[in-house]
Amino acid sequence: MLAYHVYRSGSGRRDSSKEVEADESDAEPRRITVKEERPALPWMSTAASVVLLVTMLGILVTTLIIAAMASGNKHVTSGKHGSCLDGSPPAYHLSQGAMRSIDKWLVHLSGGGWCTLDQSEDTKFVTDHCALRATTPYGTSRLAPNLVDMEESSAYFNRDAKANPLFHDWNYVWIWYCDGSSYSSNLKDKVVYTKEDGQPVDLYFKGHGLLVDIFEDLLENQGMNGATDVVISGCSAGGLGVLLNVDWLGKLLPEKTFVTALPDSGFFLEWFAPAANTKYDSYAKTMKWIYESTNASSAVNQECVRDCKPET
Ligand SMILES: *[C@@H]1O[C@H](CO)[C@@H](O)[C@H](O)[C@H]1NC(C)=O
């Protein structure tokens, strides 16, 4: 038995099917001779295929290279000078640039608010409690993933030459923010803090040392000592970190290296949070706590410190 369906174009009807009884002779397989159509110039088609294949391979390889250049591998440093709040060693993600820009570096200090020890432990606002923060990705490098998408980490990390003509093929370094102090705290010893439930917890305020360890690693192990250009950028708490540390960085890097800062927000001078139920409801109060309680005064620009008139 054979069957066929008829669809009439434009009729919108799909039900005009018909079943047809077939006689026995129709059940025999029919031989159909198809004349093979050979292209007139076979070599041309081969050449076209090769070109197509090479082009596709090229696109694939380029896509893979761009994808590889857009992801950053985690590097954990010695932790000799600095650490995250929980004592874990400083970490960063690195994505190597193109050969032609091998001596150009864009470093980004990630942000994420600040913390103090002198407030209610359950406050989760721009300023939270350091004991709480130490258990989150903002307080430990243990929670840093092995691989990150650099382009998601910072808008300045973009491997598209059209969108990012200056930095698209530079080396990218994304620094894991985990000290709660805009990379400025500098307490030699740990603080043993007793939580509201009576449990003691060790906390470390070594945010500036975190940068010391990371740049030491970049200089000694990743080739930054050959840098012609280093741009240090950051957003929010990272932006403030740039302002607080760029003079130190300029002195640390080799003389031949051009160092410049690209802070992207972070100095929220008159920022208040009227809804926050905490005495650290303003930027100024939070910064004051960090500056006075974590020995940040010794890690920032000493000329600024000398020039600063005490409040009256
Ligand atoms: C503050 O930092 C300075 C400079 O690094 C250091 O000599 C001093 O011991 C630090 N003070 C405390 C209390 O950690």
Side-chain angles (χ1 to χ4, degrees):
M1 194 173 73
L2 294 174
Y4 70 94
H5 298 262
V6 179
Y7 297 134
R8 279 176 219 288
S9 64
S11 71
R13 294 179 62 203
R14 300 230 151 178
D15 57 352
S16 51
S17 59
K18 233 181 196 177
E19 287 182 356
V20 180
E21 293 291 330
D23 56 38
E24 287 304 305
S25 62
D26 273 0
E28 285 287 308
R30 245 183 284 174
R31 273 175 218 290
I32 303 167
T33 319
V34 179
K35 198 169 155 256
E36 234 180 278
E37 287 199 9
R38 292 213 149 263
L41 296 166
W43 58 269
M44 211 168 158
S45 129
T46 312
S49 309
V50 169
V51 168
L52 188 68
L53 193 70
V54 168
T55 309
M56 281 170 65
L57 266 175
I59 291 171
L60 183 71
V61 168
T62 311
T63 310
L64 285 177
I65 289 173
I66 289 174
M69 277 171 64
S71 55
N73 288 303
K74 179 181 177 181
H75 294 259
V76 178
T77 66
S78 65
K80 244 188 313 188
H81 303 96
S83 75
C84 300
L85 279 166
D86 71 333
S88 57
Y92 64 93
H93 290 84
L94 171 65
S95 151
Q96 228 122 39
M99 247 347 256
R100 63 180 168 273
S101 292
I102 203 71
D103 290 327
K104 296 176 189 296
W105 295 78
L106 176 60
V107 180
H108 188 95
L109 306 190
S110 58
W114 300 267
C115 73
T116 74
L117 284 179
D118 189 20
Q119 66 183 74
S120 151
E121 281 177 21
D122 57 8
T123 312
K124 291 179 201 151
F125 206 66
V126 173
T127 304
D128 57 22
H129 196 284
C130 299
L132 172 76
R133 179 172 282 245
T135 65
T136 74
Y138 293 104
T140 177
S141 63
R142 287 184 233 284
L143 295 174
N146 288 329
L147 206 64
V148 298
D149 181 339
M150 299 296 265
E151 295 185 342
E152 296 220 329
S153 310
S154 159
Y156 295 98
F157 295 151
N158 188 336
R159 294 297 190 195
D160 179 353
K162 274 207 192 83
N164 194 12
L166 183 59
F167 297 129
H168 70 95
D169 59 357
W170 289 31
N171 299 304
Y172 292 161
V173 177
W174 191 57
I175 296 184
W176 193 257
Y177 178 47
C178 57
D179 59 84
S181 71
S182 274
Y183 309 87
S184 70
S185 54
N186 193 35
L187 275 188
K188 225 165 49 187
D189 300 323
K190 69 180 180 190
V191 172
V192 183
Y193 171 78
T194 307
K195 296 205 295 184
E196 280 166 9
D197 64 7
Q199 291 293 311
V201 53
D202 291 346
L203 294 170
Y204 298 80
F205 293 88
K206 294 168 177 270
H208 176 70
L210 178 153
L211 289 185
V212 177
D213 285 333
I214 287 177
F215 278 94
E216 191 178 281
D217 194 58
L218 290 168
L219 285 161
E220 286 175 14
N221 304 318
Q222 309 296 352
M224 193 183 264
N225 54 352
T228 54
D229 302 83
V230 172
V231 175
I232 181 165
S233 175
C235 187
S236 194
L240 179 63
V242 171
L243 294 167
L244 296 178
N245 288 286
V246 67
D247 293 323
W248 162 79
L249 186 65
K251 287 195 187 100
L252 177 82
L253 293 177
E255 220 163 286
K256 63 168 188 237
T257 309
F258 173 74
V259 183
T260 195
L262 183 61
D264 188 358
S265 83
F267 204 59
F268 309 112
L269 201 54
E270 293 299 333
W271 179 80
F272 284 91
N277 183 24
T278 158
K279 67 190 212 191
Y280 293 99
D281 59 355
S282 81
Y283 183 78
K285 285 189 219 165
T286 304
M287 294 308 120
K288 201 160 187 284
W289 186 89
I290 292 171
Y291 185 76
E292 289 171 351
S293 311
T294 74
N295 201 22
S297 54
S298 72
V300 298
N301 186 310
Q302 293 307 299
E303 286 168 51
C304 277
V305 174
R306 270 196 302 276
D307 286 351
C308 179
K309 306 266 181 301
E311 278 177 30
T312 47

